[in-house]
Amino acid sequence: MVFQLQRQVRPLVEIDQLQMHYPLGGVWGSKQSLKAVDGISLHIRQGETLGLVGESGCGKSTAGQLAARLLEPTGGRIFYKGEDLLRLRSDRDKQLRKQIQYVFQDPYTSMNPKHTIAGLLEEPLRIHRIGTRSERKAHVRDMLEQIGLNESYAPRYIHELSGGQRQRIGIARALMLQPEFLVLDEPVSALDVSVQSQILNLLKDLQQRFSLTYLFISHDLNVVHYMSDRVAVMYLGKIVELADVLDLYESPLHPYTKALISAIPAEQRGQSRGRIKLQGEIPSASNTPSGCSFHTRCPFVMERCRQEEPTLKLIRPGRRVSCHLQE
Ligand code: SF4
């Protein structure tokens, strides 16, 4: 009974056939485009962390920016608690934008260096006209404590802080409007390994404390493994595999996922599988290969793969794979 009720709960975020195609100047009217995100569908349940992993250039950051409404998609739909985010009245759109926040890889590039930390944290509240001046200041002090700093940081500037402290401020700023859903775009990639674990643990604590839901984007398989409940693997603008984290890491099914996981050092993987080396670079998203877009690098390529594009099929509950080998 409980299981049935859980199944009926609608996910917090539902992404349906989302596309981001950038038109390119074509020759003689040809309609070429760069397919940064090419028809992805997934959902994120309340309170979970969905990891989104893939090589640089696979479209995962663009997908995150679309989910956080920093970009308007060229196709597809995004539902938040069942509401179609692309068809909202402007007042409702403004309300829901507060619920969805984005944490950048390097907060330094996304914040005004002329503002103090207090000014940076207060800014979202000022924009949305929330609280009196003294209430906003109290909220800033409280948030600094929540992210492991204190009010002595309020008058400082972002360039005076270490990389880890900057990322704490990036996270604090994203939390100022009390959102429910955070898109975390490579939040620890620019940090030393020792600092990475502090920030990851902070993110886990904050998720518990504030009942947050995360879309966690990273190229680092270890970090994604540590943070995620489920993982989506992206290649050339598409999801090629989607699974619970343990299932995915213990038995990857898509050849691309197998190659990514085999590249994790054996002592961290805890398994003796050999390394699968991928040949060549990821192709350009403006000139994707025919058939399966992975066929130019796949060690298991068949003739059919060059002609026919596989679809993301349900293999078993919670497990989807896009590969002819799984049919
Ligand atoms: Fe490799 Fe073919 Fe599967 Fe694509 S469909 S991943 S080319 S085996």
Side-chain angles (χ1 to χ4, degrees), residues 72-93:
E72 286 299 306
T74 52
R77 299 164 88 181
I78 309 169
F79 295 92
Y80 187 79
K81 292 182 174 171
E83 289 186 76
D84 186 340
L85 288 185
L86 306 175
R87 294 179 191 183
L88 293 173
R89 288 197 329 265
S90 66
D91 53 340
R92 185 65 182 144
D93 186 40

Side-chain angles (χ1 to χ4, degrees), residues 52-292:
L52 188 57
V53 70
E55 290 166 290
S56 152
C58 70
K60 57 191 187 303
S61 287
T62 307
Q65 287 170 19
L66 292 170
R69 309 290 317 284
L70 301 184
L71 290 172
E72 286 299 306
T74 52
R77 299 164 88 181
I78 309 169
F79 295 92
Y80 187 79
K81 292 182 174 171
E83 289 186 76
D84 186 340
L85 288 185
L86 306 175
R87 294 179 191 183
L88 293 173
R89 288 197 329 265
S90 66
D91 53 340
R92 185 65 182 144
D93 186 40
K94 201 172 168 192
Q95 278 174 350
L96 285 188
R97 278 180 190 268
K98 284 191 273 182
Q99 299 295 316
I100 305 171
Q101 295 292 318
Y102 195 89
V103 174
F104 293 85
Q105 177 179 347
D106 182 1
Y108 193 58
T109 57
S110 61
M111 292 187 201
N112 189 336
K114 292 181 186 157
H115 290 181
T116 61
I117 299 302
L120 291 170
L121 295 185
E122 263 191 75
E123 192 176 28
L125 301 176
R126 280 201 309 272
I127 290 171
H128 287 273
R129 299 170 192 237
I130 295 171
T132 62
R133 199 153 180 256
S134 63
E135 285 169 342
R136 290 197 294 264
K137 292 210 173 309
H139 191 23
V140 167
R141 280 197 299 277
D142 177 54
M143 189 54 74
L144 285 169
E145 299 285 342
Q146 297 280 2
I147 49 114
L149 301 177
N150 57 50
E151 64 180 308
S152 72
Y153 286 82
R156 300 196 204 176
Y157 291 88
I158 195 93
H159 68 264
E160 297 177 279
L161 307 187
S162 68
Q165 289 166 342
R166 282 181 198 171
Q167 193 51 288
R168 284 174 194 267
I169 297 300
I171 294 164
R173 189 172 146 106
L175 292 177
M176 287 302 284
L177 295 172
Q178 300 179 319
E180 294 178 320
F181 175 47
L182 288 193
V183 177
L184 301 153
D185 187 0
E186 302 270 11
V188 297
S189 303
L191 304 175
D192 293 341
V193 175
S194 59
V195 182
Q196 280 189 2
S197 54
Q198 292 168 17
I199 298 296
L200 294 176
N201 288 333
L202 173 68
L203 286 168
K204 284 197 166 205
D205 286 350
L206 293 169
Q207 184 171 33
Q208 291 292 319
R209 231 178 290 159
F210 298 121
S211 304
L212 297 167
T213 301
Y214 290 158
L215 175 61
F216 187 91
I217 300 168
S218 178
H219 68 281
D220 185 327
L221 275 283
N222 281 324
V223 166
V224 168
H225 182 263
Y226 183 66
M227 288 300 291
S228 308
D229 299 299
R230 292 185 302 128
V231 179
V233 182
M234 257 187 107
Y235 186 79
L236 268 185
K238 294 180 193 291
I239 306 285
V240 296
E241 187 157 5
L242 185 61
D244 285 348
V245 64
L246 294 180
D247 205 9
L248 188 92
Y249 280 66
E250 277 167 18
S251 60
L253 295 177
H254 194 282
Y256 179 58
T257 316
K258 286 182 183 181
L260 289 181
I261 289 177
S262 76
I264 301 174
E267 62 276 14
Q268 292 171 23
R269 221 179 328 136
Q271 291 164 13
S272 57
R273 273 198 296 261
R275 171 133 195 220
I276 301 170
K277 279 199 177 161
L278 292 179
Q279 303 299 319
E281 299 288 314
I282 187 166
S284 164
S286 62
N287 189 18
T288 49
S290 61
C292 172

Side-chain angles (χ1 to χ4, degrees), residues 289-303:
S290 61
C292 172
S293 56
F294 186 56
H295 86 249
T296 54
R297 302 171 78 195
C298 180
F300 308 101
V301 61
M302 307 171 284
E303 191 46 41

Side-chain angles (χ1 to χ4, degrees), residues 289-292 295 301-310 324:
S290 61
C292 172
H295 86 249
V301 61
M302 307 171 284
E303 191 46 41
R304 178 185 177 193
C305 308
R306 298 181 221 279
Q307 319 290 338
E308 195 184 323
E309 185 178 352
H324 295 312

